[in-house]
Structure formats: structure tokens, C-alpha cells
């Protein structure tokens, strides 16, 4: 009963490096989301997807790209990492629009950009 | 601008005691309000979801209340346990215009609860 799985759990990058965060869900959910969580702030939406092959921008999309090639996977990419992207990243999924349904979150990825 | 404010920022109580966490919001149009529990190093987990017409909802020792007129919600924890030590996040959903909109969520900054033996 995995739910939402994020890999990796921790990562340290140097400024300018690139990386991809992987989110996988086994609940057959249509909707998937990427958030970042910074100290003293609420979670902020980076990008989201309402189904396979679709993506859309959230509140703070700059510096990130996403892809949803398969229904169960949602990838978050950083093309050129910056120290301002040091954060904890959470992936979430929901069966239908989150306005009406529960979101299920992964355990998070802690990213440090030096 | 949609906002969710929680108080207090942090709270320390003794095991077995009750506590109440507060949430004030300015989100329009309102769809629902939810409380999440986030253990250290883990993702948030949903505790309750309340729509406009619901003013109380319970989940075990957790009871959430909603006053849509004053735009306030509270989360009451009864007979606290050490495992209740966590961050509690209030989240308000704005009305969904329909179509493919995901439904915008506004997250509070959380209240960090510490339960001491």
C-alpha cells in the first residue's frame, strides 16, 4: 500500500546543476501536484496536472518544469538550480479536483542548493 | 488576496491535556476548509474536510469547527498524546469555476504542537 512515493528523499546540488524529482502514485489518481514548503510559510503550488499528458502552472512555477507522460508519474525538473530553490518538495495526488477531495502527499524531498 | 492565518505559531502542552488551535481565513469564494497533520519529516495527512454547511466534524480525538460567517475555524484536540506532536495546517479551498480547474488551495503556515510527558 505505497500511496505516493517520492524519490530521492535527499539531494544536495551545486548552483547551476540540474536534477529531476520523481513522484509515483499507485491509486489511479487523475490529479497530481508539486509543492514546495519553506520555513514559516504555507505550502506553495509549483505545477499541477489534471491528467496524463497535461500540466499547468501554479503559484511559483519559475525555474521548474514538469512532465506527466504516464498517469502514475509526475516529474519535477530543475534545469539550473539556484540557492533560492533550497526547500522541501512535496508531491500530492487526488482522485478528482482537489476542491472536493482529499489530497494524498508523499514524504517529501529535501533539496539543498549550494 | 486569499490568506490563511493560524495561531498560535507554536504550543506546548502536557500529555493528557486538551488544546485548541485557531485558523482565520480570507478566501473567496469559499469551497471547503480542511485540517492536516504533518509529522516531522513527513508529508501532510488529512484530518477533516468541512464544507460551508458543516460547522463541526470529528475524527477520533480531533474535532474541527467552522464559522463561515466570521471565517474562523478551530481544531480541538482532546486528551493529547505524545504522538500528537506535529504541525497542524489549516487549508482553505476556493470555489472551483469548473472545467479542468484544480481548485485553488491556500495553506496556512501551521501551528507546531509539542506534547510533553
Amino acid at each position: 500500500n505505497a500511496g505516493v512515493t517520492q524519490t530521492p528523499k535527499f539531494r544536495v546540488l551545486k548552483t547551476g546543476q540540474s536534477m529531476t524529482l520523481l513522484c509515483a502514485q499507485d491509486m489511479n489518481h487523475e490529479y497530481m501536484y508539486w509543492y514546495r514548503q519553506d520555513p514559516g510559510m504555507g505550502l506553495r503550488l509549483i505545477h499541477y496536472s489534471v491528467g496524463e499528458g497535461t500540466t499547468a502552472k501554479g503559484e511559483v512555477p519559475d525555474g521548474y518544469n514538469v512532465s506527466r507522460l504516464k498517469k502514475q508519474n509526475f516529474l519535477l525538473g530543475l534545469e539550473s538550480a539556484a540557492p533560492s530553490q533550497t526547500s522541501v518538495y512535496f508531491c500530492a495526488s487526488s482522485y478528482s479536483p482537489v476542491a472536493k477531495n482529499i489530497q494524498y502527499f508523499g514524504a517529501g524531498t529535501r533539496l539543498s542548493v549550494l | 488576496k486569499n490568506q490563511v492565518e493560524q495561531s498560535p505559531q507554536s504550543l506546548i502542552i502536557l500529555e493528557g491535556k486538551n488544546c485548541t488551535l485557531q485558523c482565520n481565513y480570507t478566501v473567496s469564494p469559499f469551497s471547503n476548509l480542511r485540517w492536516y497533520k504533518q509529522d516531522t519529516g513527513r508529508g501532510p495527512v488529512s484530518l477533516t474536510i468541512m464544507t460551508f454547511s458543516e460547522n463541526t466534524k470529528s475524527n477520533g480525538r480531533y474535532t474541527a469547527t467552522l464559522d463561515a460567517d466570521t471565517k474562523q475555524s478551530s481544531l480541538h484536540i482532546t486528551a493529547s498524546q505524545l504522538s500528537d506532536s506535529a504541525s497542524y495546517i489549516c487549508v482553505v479551498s476556493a470555489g472551483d469555476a469548473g472545467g479542468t480547474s484544480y481548485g485553488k488551495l491556500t495553506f496556512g503556515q501551521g501551528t507546531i504542537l509539542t506534547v510533553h510527558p
Side-chain angles (χ1 to χ4, degrees):
Chain A
N1 192 14
V4 179
T5 303
Q6 292 183 232
T7 53
K9 288 183 169 53
F10 303 93
R11 187 71 186 268
V12 178
L13 290 179
K14 293 181 180 179
T15 298
Q17 287 185 317
S18 63
M19 77 163 294
T20 300
L21 282 66
L22 171 63
C23 176
Q25 52 94 4
D26 62 1
M27 296 173 282
N28 201 34
H29 285 170
E30 290 291 339
Y31 291 68
M32 296 187 74
Y33 319 83
W34 276 106
Y35 292 93
R36 60 178 289 172
Q37 186 175 40
D38 299 297
M41 300 182 69
L43 274 77
R44 292 181 293 170
L45 182 68
I46 304 171
H47 285 281
Y48 65 98
S49 168
V50 301
E52 181 179 318
T54 73
T55 62
K57 294 180 180 180
E59 300 172 65
V60 289
D62 294 342
Y64 305 95
N65 57 74
V66 288
S67 64
R68 183 99 181 266
L69 299 180
K70 293 183 178 181
K71 186 177 183 179
Q72 63 269 33
N73 295 337
F74 195 28
L75 279 62
L76 178 70
L78 286 73
E79 291 186 348
S80 180
S84 61
Q85 294 178 303
T86 294
S87 187
V88 181
Y89 292 86
F90 287 100
C91 176
S93 71
S94 63
Y95 178 71
S96 60
V98 72
K100 297 176 170 61
N101 274 279
I102 297 173
Q103 278 180 313
Y104 295 86
F105 284 83
T109 295
R110 289 187 174 275
L111 175 65
S112 292
V113 183
L114 305 178
Chain B
K1 180 182 177 182
N2 291 339
Q3 285 188 313
V4 175
E5 298 288 340
Q6 294 186 242
S7 61
Q9 284 190 326
S10 61
L11 181 63
I12 300 174
I13 62 173
L14 293 176
E15 187 178 13
K17 298 297 185 181
N18 302 335
C19 68
T20 300
L21 313 180
Q22 301 291 342
C23 173
N24 296 333
Y25 63 92
T26 54
V27 174
S28 182
F30 175 86
S31 177
N32 60 64
L33 183 145
R34 51 194 77 191
W35 284 92
Y36 286 96
K37 179 186 179 189
Q38 184 176 20
D39 293 318
T40 301
R42 307 294 295 272
V45 174
S46 180
L47 293 175
T48 64
I49 298 179
M50 289 183 292
T51 60
F52 184 87
S53 59
E54 298 172 297
N55 55 22
T56 301
K57 203 151 195 182
S58 292
N59 179 357
R61 296 178 296 101
Y62 300 101
T63 299
T65 64
L66 173 65
D67 186 334
D69 291 333
T70 62
K71 298 186 178 181
Q72 295 180 324
S73 176
S74 64
L75 180 69
H76 186 74
I77 303 174
T78 304
S80 61
Q81 301 176 358
L82 298 179
S83 59
D84 292 331
S85 294
S87 177
Y88 291 85
I89 304 172
C90 177
V91 186
V92 181
S93 173
D96 190 344
T100 58
S101 172
Y102 74 100
K104 180 176 174 57
L105 298 182
T106 302
F107 289 76
Q109 81 278 19
T111 292
I112 299 173
L113 174 66
T114 304
V115 181
H116 283 166

